[in-house]
């Protein structure tokens, strides 16, 4: 499964996923500064299966019926690796199930 990690996610979080998950960051893809809508379209075009973000505003910016993929929103007090890493097992559990396009909130 290919995951795109938004700019709001620490880059190191990608290494916390098992090898069966290929993670790329927005920065690594050269897509820094793009809107969430653009990122979702680019992710779909480039074969990503899900978008991971800590931007809780994405739900209000995007039409849930027109999402090209699942969008997982990580909710923690801060977007530091120590606070987001404990959420990874739940993200993995969610994405290994047959998940529909839509918003999924995972809170710590």
């Amino acid at each position: 499964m290919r995951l795109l990690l938004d700019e709001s996610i620490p880059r190191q979080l990608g290494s916390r996923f098992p090898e069966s998950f290929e993670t790329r960051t927005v920065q690594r893809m050269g897509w820094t500064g793009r809107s969430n809508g653009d990122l979702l379209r680019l992710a779909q075009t480039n074969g990503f299966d899900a978008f991971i973000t800590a931007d809780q505003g994405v739900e209000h910016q995007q039409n849930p019926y027109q999402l090209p993929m699942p969008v997982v929103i990580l909710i923690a007090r801060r977007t530091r690796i120590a606070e987001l890493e404990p959420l990874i097992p739940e993200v993995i559990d969610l994405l290994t199930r047959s998940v529909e396009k839509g918003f999924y909130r995972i809170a710590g």
Side-chain angles (χ1 to χ4, degrees):
M1 173 166 284
R2 295 188 73 212
L3 306 178
L4 180 63
L5 305 182
D6 194 12
E7 292 177 64
S8 60
I9 302 293
R11 295 176 192 167
Q12 304 89 340
L13 198 67
S15 67
R16 302 324 198 261
F17 284 88
E19 288 184 15
S20 59
F21 287 83
E22 178 187 336
T23 61
R24 294 286 185 271
T25 64
V26 166
Q27 298 91 329
R28 182 173 178 190
M29 296 301 294
W31 299 338
T32 304
R34 304 256 185 161
S35 71
N36 286 325
D38 285 345
L39 289 173
L40 289 168
R41 282 187 288 283
L42 284 166
Q44 179 187 34
T45 302
N46 286 274
F48 286 94
D49 300 302
F51 182 63
I52 312 294
T53 186
D55 178 0
Q56 296 181 49
V58 69
E59 286 182 285
H60 306 293
Q61 299 166 354
Q62 304 301 313
N63 182 337
Y65 302 106
Q66 295 179 344
L67 291 174
M69 66 188 56
V71 175
V72 179
I73 304 166
L74 302 181
I75 302 168
R77 288 182 41 208
R78 293 180 300 209
T79 57
R80 298 182 191 261
I81 191 85
E83 295 187 33
L84 295 175
E85 187 173 12
L87 305 178
I88 297 300
E90 195 170 341
V91 174
I92 292 167
D93 183 56
L94 170 73
L95 294 176
T96 54
R97 290 185 268 136
S98 179
V99 62
E100 301 286 323
K101 298 172 185 176
F103 294 110
Y104 298 88
R105 298 169 64 89
I106 296 180

